[in-house]
Amino acid sequence: MTQKLTIRRPDDWHLHFRDGDIMRGVVPYTARQFARAIVMPNLSPPVTTTALAAAYRDRILAAVPEGIDFTPLMTCYLTDGTDPDDLARGGGEGVFTAAKLYPANATTNSAHGVSDVERIYPVLERMEAEGIVLCVHGEVTDDDIDVFDREAEFIARHLRPITRAFPQLRVVFEHITTSDAVDFVTGAGANVAATITPQHLHINRNAMLVGGIQPHNYCLPVAKRETHRLALRVAATCGSPKFFLGTDSAPHLRRDKESACGCAGIFNAPNALESYLAVFDQEDALDRFEGFASLHGPAFYRLPVNDETVTLERADTLVPDTLDLAGEEIVPFHAGQTLGWRMVGQAGAARA
Ligand code: NCD
Ligand code: ZN
């Protein structure tokens, strides 16, 4: 049985850092495990311009602990009023790696999102020309569509038309939760990929609703039924370059999750690698972990792979019930559970 696994240092292709004290509290968790992260722009107010993104990037870099090499990759929050020239300039200057499409009111801090996807077609056309990646929160928001069907409906209504209209645009279907999404991405061109979170590989909707409401297992898109979870596990572990790691780690304070209107989002940054690796171990796919965690993402984003390595060993890791963050409590994913792997020390030296 494999006891130790050394892989190129991974990247997180979908992450929420927030801002201020919370950001300063969560950045070290991610920087310990990942070399780079695609940082989501859904702050309040959102990161909609090159200038706002450059300033946010500086605040994140100031929060990276001494001696750790970590690069935040910034995203532009698309709105009905996005200026294609500013977006192109931000892309050209290396401030923006991607832009994020939130359908208005689909999730946390998305009120300023796009009200009608067709309205931003001129922006998508420019992104296609400039080579800026489009990250998509793929859920419709219509009241008459069941929350469990919103991802599948988004594919038919919006994603298929986008990929037809802009055949060269690189699109990442973020945090996919359904076999419909797996099938769509698998059947699309090489310019379409998807991120998969650890929670959607571990839990189905029962974890949210059985034995009382479990707010710490609530995120968007919501976990679906078991058949979908199994399809996601196959997609993540099959070796396809179209699927890669994106934690969607989304910190919310315990009191905001455990309230009458609990926030969507799961904070998984502290043990993200151990959580994913447990899945690859259960699926007998340890040899495919490096591809998912460290190779497929850079290939899609056309960035170099990391030279450093990380090592994980088979050892019990007890995930704490709560963590202290800026004097507040936050409950991590897998709270109180034991994971069978542990990351050893810091990132290692470049591989020969
Ligand atoms: C995210 C957040 O809290 O910012 N929440 C979530 O449930 N995933 C937003 C998002 O990615 O949808
Ligand atoms: Zn997210």
Side-chain angles (χ1 to χ4, degrees):
M1 199 159 55
T2 308
Q3 297 298 329
K4 251 188 189 183
L5 193 67
T6 296
I7 59 168
R8 282 187 189 269
R9 202 167 166 221
D11 305 297
D12 184 349
W13 299 99
H14 182 127
L15 174 70
H16 301 268
F17 269 149
R18 314 303 187 202
D19 212 344
D21 288 346
I22 297 291
M23 177 199 72
R24 282 185 283 277
V26 299
V27 163
Y29 287 114
T30 290
R32 188 178 77 88
Q33 297 208 317
F34 298 102
R36 297 169 289 201
I38 287 277
V39 179
M40 288 296 142
N42 60 332
L43 303 183
S44 184
V47 181
T48 49
T49 65
T50 302
L52 287 170
Y56 184 32
R57 182 170 64 180
D58 288 346
R59 296 198 295 281
I60 294 166
L61 284 170
V64 176
E66 195 86 13
I68 294 189
D69 191 15
F70 176 77
T71 305
L73 304 172
M74 309 311 288
T75 57
C76 176
Y77 183 114
L78 297 175
T79 69
D80 289 349
T82 296
D83 172 5
D85 291 334
D86 178 67
L87 179 55
R89 189 164 56 81
E93 289 174 0
V95 175
F96 286 133
T97 301
K100 179 72 187 281
L101 167 58
Y102 289 103
N105 303 315
T107 187
T108 307
N109 290 341
S110 63
H112 300 276
V114 174
S115 63
D116 176 355
V117 175
E118 296 208 341
R119 276 204 198 178
I120 59 154
Y121 268 29
V123 176
L124 301 185
E125 191 177 351
R126 189 70 177 273
M127 287 172 62
E128 182 182 41
E130 303 283 339
I132 299 173
V133 171
L134 176 69
C135 300
V136 179
H137 184 110
E139 287 190 290
V140 296
T141 54
D142 310 58
D143 286 342
D144 59 327
I145 306 294
D146 189 283
V147 70
F148 291 100
D149 297 334
R150 288 181 175 195
E151 184 173 282
E153 194 62 32
F154 187 89
I155 298 170
R157 283 199 201 176
H158 302 298
L159 207 45
R160 213 178 280 283
I162 288 174
T163 54
R164 286 216 178 107
F166 307 104
Q168 306 302 319
L169 180 65
R170 277 175 295 150
V171 178
V172 183
F173 195 173
E174 300 291 341
H175 42 51
I176 58 169
T177 61
T178 57
S179 61
D180 311 70
V182 171
D183 292 345
F184 172 75
V185 171
T186 304
N191 58 313
V192 179
T195 53
I196 306 181
T197 75
Q199 55 267 23
H200 292 112
L201 296 171
H202 278 280
I203 63 173
N204 62 32
R205 59 194 191 175
N206 284 9
M208 201 169 51
L209 297 168
V210 172
I213 284 189
Q214 312 287 330
H216 299 292
N217 287 334
Y218 172 58
C219 67
L220 286 168
V222 286
K224 307 296 191 297
R225 56 168 73 240
E226 180 66 357
T227 48
H228 295 293
R229 184 182 77 100
L230 296 178
L232 296 171
R233 285 170 76 103
V234 171
T237 61
C238 73
S240 164
K242 284 171 156 282
F243 300 100
F244 43 83
L245 187 159
T247 63
D248 194 21
S249 182
H252 290 281
L253 300 182
R254 178 177 188 165
R255 58 186 162 85
D256 293 330
K257 297 275 299 169
E258 296 177 8
S259 84
C261 183
C263 302
I266 293 179
F267 180 54
N268 58 31
N271 294 106
L273 283 182
E274 292 88 345
S275 177
Y276 279 115
L277 191 51
V279 171
F280 278 72
D281 196 9
Q282 288 155 7
E283 297 291 332
D284 203 13
L286 290 180
D287 57 325
R288 308 223 174 104
F289 186 57
E290 185 176 40
F292 178 78
S294 315
L295 306 179
H296 302 166
F300 185 85
Y301 274 90
R302 299 182 187 154
L303 292 168
V305 295
N306 298 309
D307 285 332
E308 297 169 300
T309 60
V310 296
T311 297
L312 292 116
E313 65 182 10
R314 206 178 278 283
D316 284 353
T317 300
L318 176 64
V319 180
D321 289 333
T322 61
L323 295 164
D324 179 276
L325 215 73
E328 294 268 9
E329 270 189 322
I330 189 156
V331 178
F333 185 45
H334 297 298
Q337 297 171 10
T338 299
L339 294 167
W341 290 86
R342 180 172 63 198
M343 190 181 134
V344 186
Q346 294 296 341
R351 203 153 56 169

